Amino acid sequence: MDNTIRPLQFNAVQKQGDLSMKPESHEKEGPSEGSRDDSVSISRPDATQEPPRKIKVNILPQSPAVTTAKTVDFPQDQIGSTVSNNRMQMVDKSNPKAIPDLEGNYLYEVGTPQFDQVNAFATAARGMEMAEKFRGSSINWAFSSKLSILPHKQEGKNAYYSRQDRSANFFFFKSPPLDKVVQTSEDPDIVIHEIVGHGALDGIRPQYLGWDSETMGTHEAYSDIAAMNYALHDEGNIKLLLEQNGGNFRNESLVSRLGEEFGKAIHLEDQKPENDNQLYLRSMLNKFTYADPDSLPDTHDPDQLSGESHSFSRVLSGACYDLIDGLYQKNLPGSKDQTEAVVKARDTFGDLFYKAIDLAPQTKCKYKDVALGMIKADRLKNGGSNEQEIRKAFLDRKIITESDISKLDAHMEALPSVRLKKSPSTAQDVQKFLEAHGGSLGVPDGLTLKLTEIARGKNGDTTVSLQFTEEMPLSGKEFGKYEGYVVDVNGGLTIAFDKSGNLVDATFDSIDEEKKQDVRNGVLNCIKKDLVTEQSKSDSIFKTDTEIYQGLATSTPDGKKKIMRIPVVS
């Protein structure tokens, strides 16, 4: 049987032991093609180098409704004299840009535009450092340039990440109930959600900004979870957390709540008295259990689960909050105090969560994929020592069943026994591996796979990501004027090796009828909501002040009519 995989050609870009692969110029263009164009490798500092000089910056560790600003030490080379580094840049055309004082510090006061600039930038930089610590390797954007951070994008009640514009955008609005202007760039929950959440996940898994409604829920949950993890990295926040919840995670706190000032302003102004006591945007302390999002109503009632991605995300983020609670309770007896138990739970959860994302399918990520990925990650990293807590959190939420765990066990047992002299580090290494073992991993003969990343972990483990695409025509009168258009359906392969070169996991993400139906449903839902635009991608992506178009109907150079997913998410 011929298991040959017909490869595209690749140029390898390697910096300080962290390897990413970029396709040649034949890579497709367009907003919905979920692949990075000329990936930027962000190097980690060499441990033998002298530590960077530290300066002082003023930032908010939590929402302005929760904490006041504090002064923290910050690496000077990560902000420089222009509020930029090799990963991000500050863009604020409406206000003078912040400049450092004579000692290089950025000590602006809350309420000034320059504070917003520094707060958003430094928060994002600290958040990305956290994410890379947990992942164990660099995280590249889904594009080649720096990410532009716009702290005063425009007036309105929104914030969003745009691969299309290579930017993170933060709005502001006057709140009569709060008697102030709410700046979304001041709230770490919102900054982290957009940049360390949506932006980073788009770099790791660009195909997740697609048509599948549950995967979009995963995107939102991932972003809220990133904000929760970030909040737990500040000593003052942990102290306040324990004061607020009394050491009991079943009580509300700054960690369970997200976007306090933003949510408070929205709910006090929306003419719905029943919302006035919900002084936050979303809460992870909820009791929602899993249901197919396509079967749920499309509402924005905070007390009701709906298929809308922000609402539906609360099932997964709530389960992850429950897991942190379980890990915290497990750690309490062996910790010197509650703070140590919180930190242990935070670090265990972060390591498992980011590893689960690395092991997840390339193009569609159901909530059960995250749950089962965390079980796999715990078995690989910790010998399964936290599996009881992981199972309880996700079984209670009905995200997984005992049958799912049995299937996972069978999958792990069926993995071919492969040990390489060294884990793949080049496109040629991957090609050789697939020629020898592609068939046993379920890869069809003759399939062309595009290598998108080789992620080398700090412990020597390696994850290889490959993808492929198939065009599907939209057939049926229900598509209206878009009948006959084509849409991309994506598949992929995730391969994981330990530091010794042993194959420890492989997931072939096929293009099957279920996935095609998910894409059809997603496109049809988008059409029904009138969220497909025929404007050029240079025009506004907003249908209303807060509603973003999701699809772009266009013509390809070869004359095909195509609907592409606009890679923008709020």
Side-chain angles (χ1 to χ4, degrees):
M1 176 166 141
D2 182 6
N3 293 328
T4 301
I5 308 301
R6 295 182 287 112
L8 298 180
Q9 299 300 308
F10 296 95
N11 291 331
V13 179
Q14 187 170 12
K15 293 189 178 182
Q16 292 188 295
D18 198 86
L19 185 70
S20 69
M21 314 303 295
K22 61 176 183 177
E24 294 277 16
S25 60
H26 53 248
E27 182 178 3
K28 294 181 181 179
E29 299 287 341
S32 73
E33 310 301 335
S35 53
R36 59 176 60 84
D37 50 340
D38 301 328
S39 301
V40 178
S41 256
I42 307 298
S43 325
R44 292 190 301 276
D46 188 335
T48 62
Q49 294 178 349
E50 186 176 333
R53 177 176 180 263
K54 295 292 183 70
I55 59 164
K56 296 188 181 298
V57 300
N58 280 348
I59 62 170
L60 277 159
Q62 261 295 289
S63 164
V66 178
T67 62
T68 57
K70 64 185 291 186
T71 302
V72 299
D73 291 334
F74 193 81
Q76 186 180 42
D77 63 354
Q78 289 302 304
I79 193 169
S81 60
T82 59
V83 195
S84 67
N85 58 28
N86 65 342
R87 193 202 301 269
M88 303 177 297
Q89 61 184 356
M90 179 58 57
V91 177
D92 192 352
K93 297 180 180 179
S94 303
N95 301 285
K97 182 177 284 190
I99 57 174
D101 63 21
L102 295 178
E103 284 73 41
N105 303 316
Y106 288 90
L107 300 176
Y108 287 94
E109 296 296 324
V110 177
T112 64
Q114 292 74 31
F115 174 85
D116 299 340
Q117 295 169 8
V118 174
N119 182 71
F121 187 90
T123 296
R126 285 156 60 95
M128 289 300 293
E129 180 182 20
M130 172 201 75
E132 290 187 336
K133 175 195 76 171
F134 282 136
R135 192 188 189 207
S137 59
S138 298
I139 298 176
N140 304 317
W141 305 128
F143 41 82
S144 59
S145 66
K146 296 180 181 181
L147 175 78
S148 294
I149 300 176
L150 284 67
H152 307 108
K153 168 68 175 180
Q154 66 188 64
E155 187 170 358
K157 299 179 177 72
N158 209 344
Y160 70 93
Y161 159 78
S162 172
R163 184 200 309 160
Q164 182 166 297
D165 298 326
R166 306 178 179 194
S167 63
N169 305 269
F170 301 94
F171 290 28
F172 56 91
F173 61 94
K174 174 66 176 177
S175 169
L178 301 186
D179 192 26
K180 65 172 293 188
V181 174
V182 174
Q183 302 278 358
T184 60
S185 55
E186 288 184 357
D187 192 327
D189 284 347
I190 298 175
V191 172
I192 296 296
H193 179 98
E194 302 302 339
I195 298 176
V196 186
H198 290 313
L201 183 56
D202 193 35
I204 297 171
R205 290 287 187 271
Q207 300 291 1
Y208 284 5
L209 280 185
W211 298 107
D212 179 63
S213 57
E214 187 167 338
T215 303
M216 290 307 299
T218 300
H219 231 289
E220 294 298 340
Y222 177 99
S223 302
D224 282 354
I225 291 163
M228 175 182 66
N229 279 335
Y230 179 81
L232 288 169
H233 275 73
D234 182 88
E235 291 181 8
N237 284 347
I238 295 177
K239 181 180 178 181
L240 185 55
L241 155 74
L242 293 171
E243 290 175 0
Q244 290 178 344
N245 71 11
N248 182 354
F249 275 69
R250 306 334 292 169
N251 296 327
E252 286 279 12
S253 72
L254 64 91
V255 171
S256 63
R257 298 187 299 254
L258 295 157
E260 286 93 337
E261 183 177 73
F262 184 89
K264 183 177 181 180
I266 294 293
H267 294 133
L268 290 177
E269 194 179 340
D270 64 4
Q271 306 303 312
K272 297 178 181 179
E274 65 271 19
N275 291 338
D276 287 356
N277 63 348
Q278 185 181 321
L279 306 181
Y280 49 83
L281 189 61
R282 280 186 297 281
S283 174
M284 295 186 184
L285 187 54
N286 62 69
K287 297 181 179 179
F288 298 121
T289 56
Y290 180 84
D292 183 343
D294 293 330
S295 71
L296 296 171
D298 191 15
T299 66
H300 292 273
D301 184 344
D303 296 323
Q304 181 181 8
L305 188 66
S306 81
E308 191 276 329
S309 59
H310 295 85
S311 174
F312 188 63
S313 71
R314 295 176 294 173
V315 177
L316 179 56
S317 62
C320 289
Y321 178 85
D322 293 347
L323 176 54
I324 286 186
D325 180 19
L327 294 170
Y328 166 75
Q329 293 182 47
K330 175 184 177 180
N331 292 330
L332 265 176
S335 301
K336 65 180 181 181
D337 55 27
Q338 292 176 324
T339 296
E340 183 178 316
V342 170
V343 170
K344 287 179 180 178
R346 173 200 73 191
D347 290 345
T348 299
F349 171 82
D351 284 343
L352 297 179
F353 181 75
Y354 277 84
K355 185 63 174 179
I357 296 298
D358 269 349
L359 296 175
Q362 288 291 313
T363 65
K364 182 176 75 170
C365 189
K366 302 292 190 182
Y367 290 4
K368 72 164 58 176
D369 293 320
V370 178
L372 296 174
M374 293 190 77
I375 292 175
K376 285 192 285 188
D378 189 56
R379 291 177 181 179
L380 293 172
K381 287 173 156 294
N382 309 308
S385 62
N386 303 293
E387 188 164 333
Q388 180 179 340
E389 289 75 23
I390 299 170
R391 286 188 182 217
K392 177 172 173 49
F394 292 105
L395 285 168
D396 286 353
R397 294 283 182 156
K398 300 182 181 179
I399 290 173
I400 56 174
T401 64
E402 292 291 351
S403 175
D404 291 323
I405 299 173
S406 296
K407 290 177 182 177
L408 170 64
D409 295 338
H411 164 78
M412 300 302 289
E413 290 176 5
L415 278 176
S417 179
V418 178
R419 180 168 184 174
L420 306 179
K421 292 182 178 179
K422 66 180 183 66
S423 298
S425 59
T426 68
Q428 291 72 28
D429 290 343
V430 176
Q431 171 70 21
K432 184 177 179 181
F433 172 83
L434 290 175
E435 288 175 352
H437 305 287
S440 62
L441 301 181
V443 181
D445 291 349
L447 181 67
T448 298
L449 292 164
K450 179 172 64 176
L451 180 62
T452 57
E453 184 184 39
I454 298 178
R456 181 83 66 198
K458 61 186 176 183
N459 297 321
D461 54 312
T462 300
T463 306
V464 179
S465 300
L466 304 103
Q467 296 174 2
F468 62 99
T469 300
E470 178 183 316
E471 287 185 337
M472 178 181 72
L474 298 174
S475 302
K477 294 182 179 180
E478 64 269 24
F479 291 103
K481 65 180 179 179
Y482 298 114
E483 183 178 12
Y485 277 65
V486 298
V487 63
D488 282 346
V489 185
N490 302 294
L493 175 65
T494 307
I495 318 170
F497 301 86
D498 65 16
K499 62 182 180 181
S500 300
N502 295 301
L503 176 70
V504 294
D505 194 35
T507 301
F508 181 63
D509 185 11
S510 65
I511 297 178
D512 53 18
E513 283 306 312
E514 178 184 349
K515 179 177 288 186
K516 290 180 180 180
Q517 190 59 48
D518 285 341
V519 172
R520 290 189 194 99
N521 290 341
V523 175
L524 186 58
N525 189 46
C526 186
I527 292 171
K528 288 179 177 178
K529 292 181 179 179
D530 193 26
L531 292 178
V532 176
T533 179
E534 297 177 22
Q535 302 176 89
S536 71
K537 64 181 181 180
S538 62
D539 293 329
S540 174
I541 59 170
F542 280 89
K543 179 183 177 182
T544 66
D545 288 345
T546 58
E547 196 168 27
I548 299 173
Y549 284 112
Q550 295 178 7
L552 173 66
T554 187
S555 296
T556 63
D558 58 1
K560 292 180 182 176
K561 290 186 175 181
K562 188 172 189 177
I563 295 181
M564 299 190 293
R565 179 66 162 83
I566 299 175
V568 178
V569 61
S570 63

